[in-house]
Amino acid sequence: MPSDKAAAGAATGARAEAAGDRPILGTPEEFPPRPRRRGGFLVYVVIGLVVAVLAGGWGYVMLTATGNPLVTPQVITFDASAADSAEITFTVHKPADRAATCRLRALDTGHAEVGSRVIDVPAGKAELTLKERLKTSSQATAVYVDYCDLV
């Protein structure tokens, strides 16, 4: 008496011989020819235009998101040797007919703020050199101009 496994193996072998050595889904010659696609180039042109518009919009956003580029501060020197104060000398470039406000910050060794001050820069000159002193709560190691904005 043949076992169940032997009977199953014989049945599988018979099916394989009936199907032959051909692919299950058929050969490429048996498939119908593909219809010719139309408008492929037009699709790429439309995608290219959409990408160009998005890139241009993103570029515009990045150009306008730079803050206030009309006022540029530049630190010349700073002295943070005193335990309770720091001194900074900086220039401000701005339109001559506009006033500005600048925020100065003093930091300690752990980059924690130990002093800050907002100063007014008067209208009248396009380039001003200012020397300011900040009171600090502890020893500062760095002093810089955080920002300057037109008023």
Side-chain angles (χ1 to χ4, degrees):
M1 276 178 107
S3 69
D4 290 337
K5 288 184 180 179
T12 304
R15 271 187 267 141
E17 289 174 8
D21 290 331
R22 48 175 284 157
I24 295 173
L25 297 177
T27 61
E29 294 83 25
E30 295 173 351
F31 291 121
R34 290 185 179 176
R36 184 179 166 139
R37 290 183 10 182
R38 303 177 92 190
F41 181 73
L42 183 62
V43 170
Y44 290 123
V45 168
V46 170
I47 290 172
L49 288 174
V50 168
V51 168
V53 167
L54 291 175
W58 182 252
Y60 176 75
V61 167
M62 294 310 291
L63 280 174
T64 59
T66 58
N68 194 351
L70 298 176
V71 182
T72 55
Q74 183 177 9
V75 175
I76 298 171
T77 62
F78 70 87
D79 179 19
S81 59
D84 63 344
S85 66
E87 193 172 277
I88 183 171
T89 304
F90 64 100
T91 60
V92 177
H93 304 276
K94 62 175 187 58
D97 59 340
R98 303 277 306 267
T101 59
C102 295
R103 182 172 188 250
L104 310 175
R105 291 184 73 193
L107 305 178
D108 66 1
T109 56
H111 301 287
E113 183 177 298
V114 293
S116 69
R117 183 175 172 197
V118 176
I119 62 161
D120 293 324
V121 180
K125 289 187 177 179
E127 182 176 327
L128 290 167
T129 301
L130 302 166
K131 187 173 187 177
E132 297 291 329
R133 181 175 298 276
L134 285 82
K135 291 186 179 181
T136 58
S137 59
S138 65
Q139 178 71 46
T141 57
V143 185
Y144 70 98
V145 180
D146 193 19
Y147 64 83
C148 287
D149 287 329
L150 293 175
V151 263

